[in-house]
């Protein structure tokens, strides 16, 4: 799954590392076209399908496969003039309650799809809400089995969490996303210990200034941090305009010169302030890792009340990217 510009990694940058796949899944038609222009001739699945009849022209021209999750999409395909049939993932709503046909309506939808000359292969598909959580997938698996009973065709159910933790759901296609980029589907970094997964992205910068603040002095906008003793503060060139979350509270982990320390004070547009107490050797030019190889993105995300997915996707276009 390479939606959202390969989870913020850049589709073109991620492509060489992922081209051994059997297929790609994404959302935007533009990204699908980009993937074709990068030389990918295999399957590309549009995960939300399409939104208007003109989208179908692009699907046809670039030989894309598409999710069909509602009768409106089915109707558009029935009305479309195509040069060849489109392969479809017919989506069932097995309990997530976002997109898809209910198990009760699934068979009728499948029969309608099968009767549509514009539709080629039909893959049976659903998406899990809790594959990374205690609720698990049993209820949705049961709903899927019920809705898909007696229907032949390849099946695609598993996201990253189900790929890792629920092999019973693998069937013909798995749809891993977050694990391709080396982060945890559950948002807990230790959950992928022992899998061999490595973070693909490191967000790094350096210290561009230092301050020694006395007891009682404050740091940053709103004076949210007050020094309890004399201490050194490092100013890091990275802020919310780079995609570092402004909500990151005091104590959010950061690595300075290989040492784990914490941010203090508010995240600004272009700067973060960090506690240099455990890193006395740090000065201007010292390397800072915001997340990545030494600091799981999940740890930073957890401190911010979110998940690694959101941080990855939010890295701003202005951040220079280096391949390593
Ligand atoms: C994003 C997405 C996935 C991948 O989810 P991860 O949790 O990143 O593995 C799988 N299937 C669908 C339909 C998706 O939209």
């Amino acid at each position: 799954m390479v939606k959202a510009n390969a989870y913020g990694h850049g589709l073109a940058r991620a492509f060489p590392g992922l081209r051994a796949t059997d297929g790609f899944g994404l959302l935007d038609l533009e990204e699908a076209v980009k993937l074709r222009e990068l030389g990918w001739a295999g399957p590309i699945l549009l995960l939300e399908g399409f939104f208007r009849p003109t989208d179908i022209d692009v699907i046809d021209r670039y030989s894309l496969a598409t999710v069909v999750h509602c009768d409106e999409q089915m109707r558009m395909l029935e009305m479309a003039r195509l040069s060849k049939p489109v392969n479809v993932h017919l989506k069932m709503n097995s309990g997530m309650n976002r997109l898809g046909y209910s198990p009760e309506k699934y068979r009728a939808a499948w029969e309608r799809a099968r009767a549509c000359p514009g539709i080629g292969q039909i893959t049976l598909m659903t998406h899990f809400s809790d594959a990374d959580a205690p609720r698990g997938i049993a209820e949705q698996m049961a709903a899927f089995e019920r809705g898909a009973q007696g229907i032949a065709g390849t099946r695609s159910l598993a996201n990253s969490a189900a790929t890792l933790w629920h092999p019973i759901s693998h069937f013909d296609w798995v749809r891993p996303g977050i694990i391709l980029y080396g982060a945890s589907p559950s948002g807990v970094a230790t959950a992928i210990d022992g899998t061999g997964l490595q973070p693909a992205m490191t967000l790094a910068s350096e210290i561009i200034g230092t301050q020694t603040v006395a007891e009682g002095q404050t740091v940053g906008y709103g004076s949210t941090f007050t020094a309890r003793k004399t201490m050194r503060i490092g100013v890091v060139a990275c802020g919310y305009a780079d995609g570092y979350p402004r909500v990151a509270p005091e104590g959010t982990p950061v690595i300075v010169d290989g040492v784990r320390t914490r941010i203090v004070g508010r995240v600004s547009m272009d700067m973060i302030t960090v506690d240099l107490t455990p890193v006395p050797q740090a000065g201007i030019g010292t390397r800072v890792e915001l997340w990545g190889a030494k600091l799981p993105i999940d740890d930073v995300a957890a401190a911010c009340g979110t998940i690694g997915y959101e941080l990855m996707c939010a890295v701003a276009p202005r951040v220079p990217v280096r391949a390593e």
Side-chain angles (χ1 to χ4, degrees):
M1 299 300 110
V2 291
K3 61 195 184 206
N5 198 26
Y7 289 49
H9 293 67
L11 193 57
R13 279 189 292 272
F15 176 63
L18 297 175
R19 66 183 310 161
T21 185
D22 296 311
F24 286 101
L26 43 66
L27 244 96
D28 289 2
L29 281 173
E30 264 179 44
E31 289 188 348
V33 171
K34 202 168 152 190
L35 207 42
R36 286 281 180 250
E37 286 168 352
L38 287 167
W40 176 254
I44 300 177
L45 174 64
L46 297 171
L47 295 167
E48 288 183 2
F50 50 91
F51 305 95
R52 48 195 65 78
T54 50
D55 294 344
I56 300 178
D57 302 336
V58 184
I59 287 174
D60 187 36
R61 182 159 356 117
Y62 291 92
S63 305
L64 309 178
T66 181
V67 161
V68 169
H69 64 74
C70 62
D71 282 340
E72 286 71 12
Q73 288 178 333
M74 195 79 85
R75 224 178 76 82
M76 282 190 262
L77 276 177
E78 287 166 349
M79 312 284 283
R81 277 187 295 157
L82 296 155
S83 69
K84 57 190 176 308
V86 176
N87 292 338
V88 153
H89 277 48
L90 189 65
K91 187 156 188 181
M92 189 195 299
N93 168 22
S94 58
M96 170 82 102
N97 289 317
R98 284 188 329 192
L99 303 179
Y101 290 95
S102 68
E104 292 66 37
K105 298 203 167 127
Y106 196 71
R107 178 155 200 117
W110 179 78
E111 276 166 5
R112 185 171 170 184
R114 209 169 50 139
C116 173
I119 294 180
Q121 293 164 13
I122 306 170
T123 296
L124 318 186
M125 177 204 188
T126 195
H127 192 53
F128 295 128
S129 61
D130 286 69
D132 61 319
R135 186 171 179 183
I137 64 166
E139 293 159 79
Q140 283 190 263
M141 284 285 287
F144 183 79
E145 295 297 340
R146 183 155 42 85
Q149 200 175 12
I151 306 181
T154 54
R155 282 152 162 77
S156 173
L157 284 73
N159 58 1
S160 290
T163 301
L164 279 182
W165 300 316
H166 301 288
I168 196 176
S169 69
H170 287 186
F171 295 99
D172 306 292
W173 291 91
V174 292
R175 303 190 308 271
I178 193 74
I179 55 175
L180 303 176
Y181 311 98
S184 168
S186 68
V188 177
T190 51
I192 56 168
D193 282 356
T195 59
L197 294 164
Q198 300 286 329
M201 176 196 290
T202 293
L203 181 66
S205 184
E206 38 186 75
I207 291 181
I208 57 164
T210 63
Q211 298 291 339
T212 300
V213 296
E215 180 187 345
Q217 287 191 311
T218 60
V219 176
Y221 286 120
S223 303
T224 59
F225 176 77
T226 305
R228 260 176 273 140
K229 56 175 174 35
T230 300
M231 63 188 289
R232 273 177 86 233
I233 299 290
V235 182
V236 182
C238 182
Y240 61 77
D242 299 295
Y244 194 89
R246 185 177 172 280
V247 295
E250 179 186 328
T252 301
V254 57
I255 305 267
V256 179
D257 201 18
V259 179
R260 192 167 168 131
T261 179
R262 59 185 184 127
I263 74 165
V264 294
R266 261 196 204 142
V267 173
S268 311
M269 186 183 286
D270 308 309
M271 285 177 262
I272 295 163
T273 39
V274 302
D275 180 0
L276 293 184
T277 309
V279 217
Q281 73 277 19
I284 289 177
T286 299
R287 186 173 194 271
V288 177
E289 180 175 316
L290 287 319
W291 62 67
K294 297 203 184 79
L295 176 59
I297 195 168
D298 301 295
D299 288 359
V300 180
C304 300
T306 184
I307 50 176
Y309 296 69
E310 188 181 7
L311 301 189
M312 286 177 186
C313 292
V315 172
R318 83 172 189 185
V319 174
V321 179
R322 247 177 274 148
E324 284 185 4

